[in-house]
């Protein structure tokens, strides 16, 4: 097994890929997130990107660990909080020794745990439309189908009817996910537990799930299935190979790779912190707000390109309009200058969207790190815009979120990013 951190490169000696491994990696689908290359002398070179998780090949297992966190359990806690759940003292911490669990096994355990809870409380039933040939009329007779297939027969009647059944998309998604967990989890304990849940869920929803994205698009949550939402969240994550859209949902990589994009996860995590921290402030937090009137083609007066900050905080503060763009950057800036590219982007946001002209960059950092303030000044020395960086100690924030008063952590981050309201 090879363990490395994000953006690290390592060479594993004495490893030769199997023919199945080479076929799996041949189309290059994995290259944007994890580059694996064979070297002479039975060596394997692995270069990680900003994705964490596990890839299991016949020749070896490769684990990519987070650079700014303690391990996979912290990633799981970030996933749970970002998706709208409370960070708990996870059962996974009791199942695995420190450093013994990969991220895929942790998610497989979450899927199994939530599916077990659904089974204990009774799975949902709904009306399903079916068409069958029956000896007596049930529901509605289908005359076209009857004439085409059973002309002149009265013992076989083509009918369409509604049946109250458990074989609905809500249960099919859970059944597919827990079956995947039972088949692909690395931990024998998790596989055994998932197999027991799969043996119960399978007969309840025997129809194959089919295309994941299409199935998920048909889901609509209401009072009858709202309690399925956490199970579905973890099921989608496991079935999609870590949530990488369109990459691992089908094909041979689907059961071999599970990799989470830490750039996207950090952005979701920061956004959720600000949404929770905004409670009672009177300000609104908007995700990925597309601004089309910022860059304009002067010849046609049509928008040239849209500007989309990660977060836009807006409202009225102290009796005046307030707008603050926030950009989440999953980069380790501690002890380093902000990159010129990030500064240029932030200043565009500040000039075009900020009121006052300011933008905040939030990035991960270690305990006790301090942020920087960068100003843009004209030739006369007047400041026209500012960029502030706010370092976020992810480990400390996650510990606070798992404590008895999680909203205090969000309020503290909110005050660091947005600042105290004027008196």
């Amino acid at each position: 097994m090879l363990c490395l951190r994000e953006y690290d490169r390592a060479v594993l000696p004495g490893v030769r890929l199997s023919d199945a491994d080479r076929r799996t990696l041949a189309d290059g689908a994995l290259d944007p997130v994890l580059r694996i290359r064979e070297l002479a002398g039975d060596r394997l070179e692995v270069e990680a990107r900003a994705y964490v998780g596990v890839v299991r090949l016949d020749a070896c297992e490769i684990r990519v660990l987070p650079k700014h966190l303690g391990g996979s359990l912290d990633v799981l806690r970030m996933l749970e909080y970002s998706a709208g759940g409370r960070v708990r003292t996870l059962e996974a911490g009791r199942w695995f020794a420190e450093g013994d669990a990969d991220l895929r096994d942790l998610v497989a355990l979450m899927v199994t745990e939530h599916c077990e809870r659904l089974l204990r409380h009774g799975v949902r039933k709904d009306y399903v439309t079916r068409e069958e040939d029956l000896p007596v009329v049930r529901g509605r007779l289908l005359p076209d189908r009857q004439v085409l297939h059973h002309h002149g027969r009265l013992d076989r009647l083509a009918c369409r009817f509604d049946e109250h059944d458990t074989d609905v998309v809500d249960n099919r998604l859970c059944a597919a996910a827990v079956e995947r967990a039972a088949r692909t989890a690395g931990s024998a304990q998790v596989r055994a537990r998932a197999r027991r849940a799969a043996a119960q869920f399978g007969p309840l929803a025997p129809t194959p799930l089919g295309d994941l994205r299409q199935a998920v698009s048909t889901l609509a949550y209401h009072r009858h299935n709202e309690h399925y939402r956490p199970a579905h969240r973890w099921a989608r994550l496991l079935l999609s190979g870590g949530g990488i859209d369109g990459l691992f949902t089908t094909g041979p990589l689907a059961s071999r790779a599970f990799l989470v994009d830490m750039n996207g996860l950090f952005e979701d995590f920061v956004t959720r912190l600000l949404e929770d921290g905004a409670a009672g402030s009177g300000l609104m937090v908007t995700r990925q707000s597309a601004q089309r009137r910022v860059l304009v083609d002067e010849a046609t007066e049509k928008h040239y390109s849209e500007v989309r900050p990660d977060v836009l905080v807006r409202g009225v503060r102290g009796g005046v309009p307030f707008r603050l763009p926030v950009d989440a950057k999953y980069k380790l800036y501690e002890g380093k200058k902000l990159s010129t590219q990030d500064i240029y982007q932030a200043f565009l946001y500040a000039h075009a969207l900020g009121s006052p002209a300011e933008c905040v960059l939030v990035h991960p950092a270690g305990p006790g790190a301090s942020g920087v303030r960068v100003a843009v000044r004209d030739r006369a020395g007047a400041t026209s815009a500012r960029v502030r960086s706010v370092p976020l100690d992810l480990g400390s924030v996650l510990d606070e979120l798992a404590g008895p008063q999680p909203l205090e952590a969000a309020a503290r981050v909110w005050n660091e990013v947005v600042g105290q309201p004027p008196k």
Side-chain angles (χ1 to χ4, degrees):
M1 182 177 67
L2 173 65
C3 292
L4 69 164
R5 298 277 178 178
E6 300 164 89
Y7 292 111
D8 285 349
R9 179 183 298 177
V11 175
L12 191 62
V15 174
R16 176 181 293 180
L17 296 180
S18 68
D19 291 338
D21 290 338
R22 294 189 184 98
R23 286 193 297 270
T24 299
L25 302 174
D27 62 358
L30 195 60
D31 287 349
V33 295
L34 184 69
R35 187 183 177 193
I36 300 174
R37 190 162 63 99
E38 284 188 281
L39 303 178
D42 291 344
R43 294 179 302 153
L44 202 65
E45 182 185 60
V46 180
E47 184 178 353
R49 308 283 197 267
Y51 293 80
V52 300
V54 60
V55 176
R56 294 196 181 107
L57 302 173
D58 293 339
C60 65
E61 177 179 303
I62 301 168
R63 293 186 187 180
V64 183
L65 304 176
K67 202 176 260 294
H68 310 308
L69 291 167
S72 297
L73 274 171
D74 283 343
V75 178
L76 194 70
R77 295 197 294 173
M78 283 184 70
L79 285 166
E80 186 170 40
Y81 179 74
S82 301
R86 182 184 173 186
V87 175
R88 302 169 296 155
T89 303
L90 295 166
E91 181 185 358
R94 300 192 297 271
W95 270 64
F96 298 101
E98 184 67 28
D100 191 38
D102 65 53
L103 188 57
R104 185 194 194 106
D105 282 4
L106 293 172
V107 173
L109 182 59
M110 294 295 290
V111 168
T112 305
E113 178 186 337
H114 282 285
C115 287
E116 288 171 340
R117 186 175 293 117
L118 292 173
L119 288 166
R120 284 196 300 270
H121 291 85
V123 298
R124 177 175 178 260
K125 290 185 177 181
D126 202 354
Y127 285 100
V128 180
T129 301
R130 302 192 185 281
E131 293 184 2
E132 292 184 16
D133 298 331
L134 303 174
V136 295
V137 174
R138 181 180 180 185
R140 177 184 174 187
L141 183 68
L142 302 176
D144 293 345
R145 178 172 166 176
Q146 180 69 27
V147 171
L148 184 62
H149 295 285
H150 308 297
H151 180 65
R153 295 184 62 178
L154 297 178
D155 61 330
R156 304 303 295 171
L157 303 175
C159 302
R160 177 183 292 140
F161 57 93
D162 289 336
E163 188 172 43
H164 206 222
D165 199 357
T166 58
D167 193 12
V168 294
V169 174
D170 297 278
N171 294 324
R172 291 172 194 165
L173 181 57
C174 292
V178 78
E179 187 276 334
R180 176 73 64 84
R183 186 164 43 86
T184 63
S187 165
Q189 289 179 300
V190 175
R191 285 199 309 273
R193 184 171 172 181
R195 276 198 299 269
R196 291 192 291 269
Q200 297 179 67
F201 245 114
L204 297 172
T207 302
L209 179 65
D211 182 78
L212 176 62
R213 277 182 287 185
Q214 183 177 353
V216 169
S217 69
T218 64
L219 287 172
Y221 292 100
H222 42 78
R223 65 186 181 90
H224 296 296
N225 69 344
E226 180 63 32
H227 59 294
Y228 272 75
R229 193 187 291 269
H232 286 170
R233 181 171 68 240
W234 294 110
R236 290 198 306 268
L237 190 66
L238 181 64
L239 292 172
S240 65
I244 303 175
D245 187 32
L247 184 57
F248 301 135
T249 52
T250 58
L253 280 174
S255 59
R256 289 177 173 263
F258 185 91
L259 295 162
V260 172
D261 179 6
M262 290 302 296
N263 287 307
L265 177 57
F266 182 70
E267 179 185 321
D268 291 342
F269 184 74
V270 170
T271 303
R272 176 73 198 284
L273 281 170
L274 294 178
E275 288 173 341
D276 286 351
S281 68
L283 299 176
M284 181 184 302
V285 175
T286 307
R287 297 173 178 238
Q288 291 285 330
S289 175
Q291 308 293 320
R292 298 193 170 191
R293 298 184 179 182
V294 174
L295 301 177
V296 178
D297 188 330
E298 289 190 326
T300 62
E301 288 300 317
K302 295 182 179 180
H303 80 273
Y304 188 78
S305 180
E306 68 181 21
V307 172
R308 191 186 293 267
D310 294 334
V311 179
L312 185 62
V313 180
R314 53 195 174 92
V316 177
R317 206 176 199 191
V320 297
F322 176 81
R323 291 167 64 94
L324 178 68
V326 180
D327 214 25
K329 295 296 185 185
Y330 186 68
K331 298 179 179 180
L332 190 60
Y333 274 131
E334 192 172 357
K336 301 178 182 177
K337 289 185 176 181
L338 301 177
S339 77
T340 304
Q341 180 180 356
D342 290 345
I343 289 177
Y344 288 167
Q345 183 183 37
F347 277 130
L348 173 61
Y349 292 160
H351 275 290
L353 305 175
S355 179
E358 184 177 68
C359 178
V360 176
L361 292 180
V362 182
H363 60 89
S370 57
V372 299
R373 298 172 64 94
V374 182
V376 172
R377 292 176 178 167
D378 58 24
R379 287 180 294 180
T383 298
S384 60
R386 289 186 175 86
V387 172
R388 285 190 294 118
S389 73
V390 174
L392 198 63
D393 181 1
L394 291 174
S396 296
V397 172
L398 286 169
D399 288 341
E400 288 182 68
L401 290 172
Q405 295 178 315
L407 290 180
E408 288 190 0
R412 179 178 61 79
V413 174
W414 169 267
N415 289 333
E416 292 178 6
V417 173
V418 182
Q420 296 283 355
K423 297 181 180 179

